[in-house]
Amino acid sequence: MNHYEQLKMKLANCQPIVMSNLMVTASPLLIEALTASDCVLIDKEHGIYGTEELIPMTMQCRHLQFPSIVRVEDSLYHLIAKAIDLGADGIMLPRVERMEQVAAAVEAMHFLPIGRTADGGCGGKAKALRIFSTAVS
């Protein structure tokens, strides 16, 4: 069973998830050392990651078939869609206090008729939806 299947199974069964949190290291080479966990959390809210740093990190995760979750800066459509466009397999929303924030995330990660996103970027959306769609529904 690969990392994606393991994570999907744990999510479906409401089991604890072990995430390796990255905030200040922008080296994609570090990702391989973290594969003992279930996935990697790349923290854009508190960390140093911009577009230039995020792409090599998510591409290394993809190369290793290791799930990447990006903690976005806020629950705004353009921030969520950008993280997915740049190759993240999923997102973590900070400070979720209202259903409108959850709705923004759903819109940013799903195609019509559920969401309002379009295909773009590094192809992350199609992959993220294919792998995790049944785990979170």
Side-chain angles (χ1 to χ4, degrees):
M1 184 179 306
N2 68 37
H3 286 285
Y4 291 107
E5 292 166 343
Q6 289 174 0
L7 182 57
K8 183 177 177 179
M9 184 184 69
K10 284 186 171 188
L11 289 170
N13 294 321
C14 298
Q15 295 176 329
I17 305 296
V18 177
M19 296 177 134
S20 294
N21 189 358
L22 295 177
M23 293 175 56
V24 296
T25 303
S27 173
L29 300 176
L30 180 61
I31 300 292
E32 191 166 3
L34 304 175
T35 58
S37 58
D38 294 313
C39 61
V40 64
L41 175 65
I42 303 169
D43 194 338
K44 285 191 71 179
E45 181 188 21
H46 302 290
I48 62 168
Y49 306 103
T51 301
E52 296 79 17
E53 294 82 20
L54 190 58
I55 292 173
M57 302 294 276
T58 59
M59 293 301 104
Q60 178 69 355
C61 287
R62 177 122 351 133
H63 171 72
L64 296 170
Q65 297 184 348
F66 186 56
S68 61
I69 309 297
V70 173
R71 181 176 177 147
V72 293
E73 299 93 323
D74 206 342
S75 53
L76 300 171
Y77 174 87
H78 71 282
L79 297 174
I80 298 165
K82 178 85 159 194
I84 298 298
D85 283 345
L86 296 178
D89 293 307
I91 54 108
M92 178 183 283
L93 294 177
R95 300 171 309 282
V96 176
E97 299 165 349
R98 299 180 321 278
M99 283 306 294
E100 293 83 12
Q101 293 170 295
V102 176
V106 170
E107 285 185 346
M109 294 187 69
H110 286 84
F111 296 104
L112 289 170
I114 296 169
R116 64 181 181 121
T117 195
D119 192 24
C122 301
K125 285 183 185 157
K127 180 181 179 195
L129 292 174
R130 182 178 69 246
I131 295 169
F132 296 112
S133 62
T134 57
V136 293
S137 44

